Amino acid sequence: MDNETTGGKPSSVKPVQTTARAVGARFSLRRGFAELVADLMLALGTLLVLFGLFMGWQAWLANRQTADAQSLVQAKQDVASRIASIVAERRAQVVKALGQPGLVAQLAANDDQQARDDAAKRLQAQLHGAEAVSLYSDQLNEVLHGNLQQLGYARAAQLMSALNDNDVGPAQAPAARIMSFAGPITGADGKVLAYATVDFRDTPMRIALHSAPVSSGRLDLRQSNKSGDIVLDSVGSSSLSSTEDSGVPIPHSLYRITSAPPEFWLPVTRSFVTALLLAIVPLLAGIAMLWLRPRVRTKLGGAPAVDEPALADVIAATAPALRAEPTAKPAAKTEPESTAAPDSDPIPDAGIFRAYDIRGVVGQTLTEGVARQLGRAIGSAVRDKELSEIVVGRDGRLSGPMLSGALIEGLRAAGVDVIDIGAVPTPVSYFAAYQLNTGSCVSVTGSHNPPDYNGFKVVIGGETLAEDAIQDLHQRIVDGRLTEGHGSLRQYDILPEYIERIASDIQVGRALKVVVDCGNGIAGDTAPGVVRAIGCEPTLLYCEVDGNFPNHHPDPSDPKNLADLVLTVKKTGADLGLAFDGDGDRLGVVTRDGEIVYPDRVLMLFAQDVLTRNPGATILYDVKCTGHLQPLILKAGGSPLMWKTGHSLIKAKMKETGAQLAGEMSGHFFFRERWYGFDDGVYAAARLLEILADDPEGRTPEQIFATLPKGVSTPELHVPMAEGQNHPFIVRFRERAHFEGARLTTIDGLRADWPDGWGLVRASNTTPVLVLRFDADDPDALKRIQDAFRSQLLACDSTLELPF
């Protein structure tokens, strides 16, 4: 019987269950949406409240900063006014004292040093508060021909400024805690009788500065030199960074007062109104959102929030899944083939370790075994500095591939990775160390030595090895202080990047025609490309790389090696001739007229150019350079400094002094401005062509060089000696030689300077010779100086064969 006839009820369980599930799903969806909206309102409201509170704090900071900044500006003006009064009073004293008729008459009657000293004492007694008064000759010979290290470069620059302005110069501080004036003492006819410097203590200025009410921020008393600003004294917070504030200049002085405003944490805005608005609006919006949250939640059908799972529970739940994920293994490092150096490699001869590089005769003091040992020693020194990679390049000598290969074996055996850049000029190896971020390189080169020589120039961690550091390489090998490892090897073509780097900075405005003589050295692969890339037209002479040097020796410091270049320049009608040495780090220059422009005169041109953009910069030059360099650099606004000969010694001194430019009589030029500070003949050639081609007056190279001071001089003269005897001779010569009336310099050999010229004898650090050079204002002075040196040299060793 069916349900109807038996009185049973029809089954309705399944439809009811389906309806219940649908209703529950809709309810759950609605409640979930309500919870989501409520959570978003909670998060956003909280963030708005926090942001409003933060901006309220910023509004308070902005208001405080504005008040402090205004107070600081007022203090700066007050201090500047007080110091200006002090300077004006002191300057008026000096002007009045230097114009006294009695002083003028005294100096007009006697112009010797004793008269100047007496006048200085008289002036100091009359000038209230004067710490020191000094009088100098009317031509400032004390600066132009004196010892600048003793006088002081700041004092020399101060006097040169007075010479140019012909008036009492601005107050300045040539020494600590001194306010100094310099000016001329002139006669009734306007002729300068002497120059005076008057020094006062700067205590009144410092008292004025420190009396300023500086509650926050900082005030600086600065001196603006050509090389930049010097902070003489400060008051306030010393932790503040420097400011771009140009400051308040003090009239008739190099001083100015600058301010560094107080710094506050997170200065979102310095506007009080903006900060206040950004505080009030978000704060009110956040409070409103938090107040509306429960009402919106109820409106949307939400329920009280349930507890969210703890962070620990989430981590525990997901940990098994994380543990199940497969972990990627790092790629296996390929182990390079064995690079162990043979145990039978000899200990190198100590004589090849020179003052600023390593050089020897191939097959005698330089062999594959010696090169391998050097590689291990250099590599060990690299690893001692916690470095791991080095660049290796070589010049075009026939022994280069053999020695370079053995050197690389030694470097790798020490555990250093090697980047082999092949046959390139030495400066390109230096460039690669910068460009490839290794900081270290070795250039296998014999430089300008005969074909059977070769050697190594070494840079480790940005330092060119010299003297003790080079001797330490030999001692490492003797002591067995050598590391072991398995370094890698890769090749890299750096030349396109080198040429692009130069051409991207230098483009000449006029296409000069240039004869390029590389003497069959390695620069033949690079120099013509650089000259062409910067916009000039090169004519090639002996640019095929040939380690036999079949045409002439690649040494532009010897005039006979420039004979073919002189002839070619004249024959082709070129604007200029450029010559490079065997490894491309030295430059020689000849003009269309056939004149050899010696490197010290080329350095004058470079110095004038660099100082136009870097006033006050230090310019280094070696002891073989002309005496005309010092006054020219001073007049151009620079600080001249003489130093020892040698590329690595010059680079070390540049690093110590921050010099922007350096040069040697041998033709090495070192640019820190716009370059990297190493010696580079090819880059120097590009800079020279830039100066000559872009001359604003359109002058020819001959006309430009003619503006540079020129005396009568000799090239480098060499006196051959037995191996190892040149340095002991110099020691004896220093002890015995006596030059009447000369100022002696003994930083490298012995140089004697007279007012009208100088002479030098020093020991070469690369070959067993004495190096001599003479320079004077006229032929008579040159002969006198040579005669003085001849007698002293022969008195020390009568067997010497002198070339003059």
Side-chain angles (χ1 to χ4, degrees):
M1 296 177 68
D2 56 24
N3 289 334
E4 289 184 4
T5 59
T6 60
K9 295 181 180 179
S11 175
S12 61
V13 174
K14 187 171 182 180
V16 170
Q17 289 177 338
T18 301
T19 302
R21 281 197 297 271
V23 172
R26 287 195 297 272
F27 178 76
S28 296
L29 182 62
R30 183 179 179 186
R31 187 173 67 180
F33 176 71
E35 295 297 331
L36 176 62
V37 172
D39 289 346
L40 288 175
M41 292 183 71
L42 175 63
L44 186 57
T46 302
L47 287 175
L48 286 171
V49 169
L50 291 176
F51 181 73
L53 293 173
F54 170 75
M55 290 309 301
W57 176 55
Q58 287 289 299
W60 175 79
L61 285 180
N63 187 54
R64 177 183 165 190
Q65 187 173 13
T66 300
D68 287 347
Q70 291 174 347
S71 175
L72 193 65
V73 169
Q74 185 59 50
K76 177 170 63 174
Q77 295 290 345
D78 292 344
V79 169
S81 177
R82 295 180 63 184
I83 292 180
S85 298
I86 295 169
V87 170
E89 181 182 350
R90 292 297 196 196
R91 186 175 189 276
Q93 281 184 265
V94 173
V95 171
K96 181 178 179 181
L98 298 187
Q100 293 179 85
L103 174 68
V104 171
Q106 180 182 354
L107 292 173
N110 298 285
D111 63 351
D112 58 8
Q113 187 58 50
Q114 184 59 50
R116 289 194 291 272
D117 290 344
D118 292 342
K121 293 177 183 178
R122 176 181 173 182
L123 272 174
Q124 185 171 355
Q126 294 172 345
L127 284 164
H128 176 68
E131 185 81 6
V133 176
S134 299
L135 265 61
Y136 303 86
S137 65
D138 59 338
Q139 298 296 321
L140 284 182
N141 292 323
E142 298 87 346
V143 176
L144 299 178
H145 304 292
N147 187 334
L148 291 187
Q149 289 183 323
Q150 181 178 347
L151 178 64
Y153 292 110
R155 180 70 79 192
Q158 181 188 21
L159 287 165
M160 291 300 293
S161 177
L163 175 66
N164 294 331
D165 297 340
N166 201 30
D167 192 10
V168 174
Q172 55 189 283
R177 297 188 173 273
I178 291 294
M179 180 204 301
S180 180
F181 296 88
I185 301 174
T186 57
D189 57 356
K191 178 183 177 183
V192 175
L193 303 174
Y195 286 89
T197 59
V198 181
D199 296 344
F200 300 94
R201 300 297 292 180
D202 66 358
T203 305
M205 290 198 308
R206 295 177 184 271
I207 292 174
L209 178 67
H210 284 270
S211 64
V214 179
S215 57
S216 60
R218 187 182 70 241
L219 291 181
D220 293 334
L221 170 60
R222 293 173 176 263
Q223 175 169 298
S224 300
N225 294 329
K226 291 182 178 180
S227 57
D229 277 3
I230 301 172
V231 178
L232 301 177
D233 200 0
S234 299
V235 60
S237 175
S238 60
S239 62
L240 294 174
S241 60
S242 60
T243 176
E244 297 297 326
D245 174 25
S246 59
V248 179
I250 308 299
H252 301 298
S253 79
L254 299 183
Y255 305 136
R256 59 192 178 98
I257 306 298
T258 63
S259 59
E263 295 178 355
F264 295 100
W265 184 66
L266 288 176
V268 173
T269 176
R270 293 175 183 252
S271 170
F272 170 74
V273 175
T274 302
L276 190 61
L277 287 174
L278 289 175
I280 293 173
V281 174
L283 187 62
L284 293 177
I287 292 172
M289 193 163 289
L290 292 177
W291 181 80
L292 288 172
R293 176 177 176 268
R295 292 158 181 78
V296 172
R297 186 179 190 179
T298 303
K299 183 75 172 176
L300 294 176
V306 295
D307 292 337
E308 294 186 2
L311 179 62
D313 296 334
V314 175
I315 294 174
T318 56
L322 292 173
R323 286 195 295 269
E325 288 293 324
T327 303
K329 294 182 180 180
K333 184 177 180 179
T334 304
E335 193 70 27
E337 68 274 13
S338 173
T339 57
D343 295 333
S344 58
D345 285 341
I347 294 177
D349 188 307
I352 69 173
F353 295 85
R354 308 296 180 93
Y356 35 84
D357 52 26
I358 300 165
R359 296 191 196 185
V361 179
V362 177
Q364 299 179 24
T365 53
L366 273 189
T367 62
E368 283 187 88
V370 168
R372 246 189 317 269
Q373 287 280 45
L374 287 172
R376 294 191 65 189
I378 294 167
S380 302
V382 168
R383 292 190 61 184
D384 279 359
K385 291 198 172 185
E386 299 183 350
L387 302 172
S388 61
E389 199 170 31
I390 194 168
V391 169
V392 174
R394 67 178 188 275
D395 67 12
R397 289 171 184 262
L398 303 180
S399 58
M402 176 264 290
L403 292 176
S404 177
L407 174 81
I408 289 172
E409 288 179 18
L411 289 166
R412 296 177 66 195
V416 175
D417 298 332
V418 177
I419 303 174
D420 182 5
I421 59 173
V424 295
T426 293
V428 177
S429 295
Y430 299 150
F431 171 80
Y434 283 91
Q435 187 76 355
L436 304 180
N437 296 315
T438 68
S440 304
C441 67
V442 181
S443 186
V444 182
T445 174
S447 188
H448 60 281
N449 285 99
D452 56 338
Y453 275 74
N454 215 325
F456 306 86
K457 295 179 179 179
V458 186
V459 177
I460 298 178
E463 175 191 354
T464 302
L465 300 198
E467 297 181 321
D468 291 345
I470 287 181
Q471 296 303 318
D472 182 65
L473 294 178
H474 179 253
Q475 200 59 44
R476 275 182 181 275
I477 299 172
V478 173
D479 298 341
R481 293 184 288 117
L482 305 173
T483 60
E484 295 184 357
H486 301 282
S488 64
L489 172 64
R490 64 186 174 105
Q491 278 76 36
Y492 194 93
D493 183 9
I494 194 71
L495 272 179
E497 295 175 40
Y498 174 78
I499 295 175
E500 170 61 25
R501 170 64 178 82
I502 296 175
S504 65
D505 181 55
I506 300 174
Q507 286 295 311
V508 301
R510 178 163 54 110
L512 296 177
K513 295 180 180 180
V514 184
V515 179
V516 178
D517 180 2
C518 295
N520 300 112
I522 193 61
D525 283 345
T526 308
V530 168
V531 171
R532 189 176 294 108
I534 67 172
C536 291
E537 301 175 12
T539 297
L540 309 191
L541 180 66
Y542 309 142
C543 289
E544 306 82 11
V545 179
D546 185 343
N548 292 306
F549 309 128
N551 295 291
H552 64 73
H553 196 59
D555 180 5
S557 66
D558 188 342
K560 70 182 181 185
N561 294 324
L562 301 176
D564 289 353
L565 178 61
V566 169
L567 290 174
T568 305
V569 170
K570 289 182 177 180
K571 179 180 178 181
T572 61
D575 296 296
L576 199 70
L578 302 175
F580 301 92
D581 73 334
D583 66 335
D585 61 4
R586 296 195 293 135
L587 173 67
V589 180
V590 301
T591 68
R592 178 183 292 178
D593 298 333
E595 178 190 5
I596 298 173
V597 185
Y598 287 120
D600 49 3
R601 293 186 69 224
V602 176
L603 182 60
M604 293 179 189
L605 202 59
F606 287 147
Q608 289 176 333
D609 176 62
V610 168
L611 289 169
T612 61
R613 294 179 295 276
N614 302 270
T618 298
I619 310 295
L620 278 177
Y621 55 94
D622 77 325
V623 294
K624 295 185 291 184
C625 286
T626 175
H628 293 294
L629 255 174
Q630 177 178 295
L632 180 138
I633 293 169
L634 280 170
K635 189 173 182 180
S639 299
L641 179 61
M642 184 189 296
W643 194 239
K644 302 175 184 178
T645 294
H647 70 96
S648 56
L649 306 180
I650 291 285
K651 278 179 274 194
K653 196 65 175 177
M654 286 186 77
K655 189 174 182 180
E656 175 191 334
T657 61
Q660 292 295 309
L661 172 70
E664 294 183 280
M665 183 59 194
S666 58
H668 289 272
F669 297 102
F670 311 73
F671 288 88
R672 184 177 301 279
E673 190 228 24
R674 297 164 54 191
W675 199 237
Y676 303 95
F678 54 75
D679 44 329
D680 189 338
V682 177
Y683 177 75
R687 290 288 290 262
L688 177 62
L689 293 174
E690 178 186 44
I691 295 169
L692 298 176
D694 296 346
D695 180 64
E697 300 176 26
R699 295 171 297 178
T700 66
E702 294 82 11
Q703 291 172 329
I704 294 173
F705 285 122
T707 65
L708 304 175
K710 179 184 178 183
V712 182
S713 63
T714 68
E716 286 189 19
L717 305 174
H718 293 173
V719 178
M721 301 194 78
E723 185 71 44
Q725 293 304 306
N726 53 346
H727 287 281
F729 175 86
I730 291 296
V731 174
R732 297 195 306 273
F733 188 72
R734 282 176 181 160
E735 294 172 350
R736 301 179 185 180
H738 176 71
F739 294 98
E740 186 68 32
R743 174 169 54 88
L744 302 184
T745 303
T746 58
I747 56 174
D748 186 4
L750 188 147
R751 172 168 167 154
D753 280 81
W754 289 269
D756 58 352
W758 57 273
L760 166 76
V761 58
R762 60 177 292 273
S764 170
N765 287 310
T766 57
T767 52
V769 300
L770 296 177
V771 179
L772 299 97
R773 189 170 186 238
F774 303 97
D775 182 75
D777 292 344
D778 54 62
D780 291 340
L782 184 71
K783 183 178 185 305
R784 189 192 76 246
I785 294 170
Q786 287 181 320
D787 289 344
F789 267 82
R790 182 184 296 107
S791 64
Q792 297 292 327
L793 288 166
L794 294 177
C796 196
D797 185 346
S798 60
T799 65
L800 292 178
E801 298 181 3
L802 302 178
F804 62 93

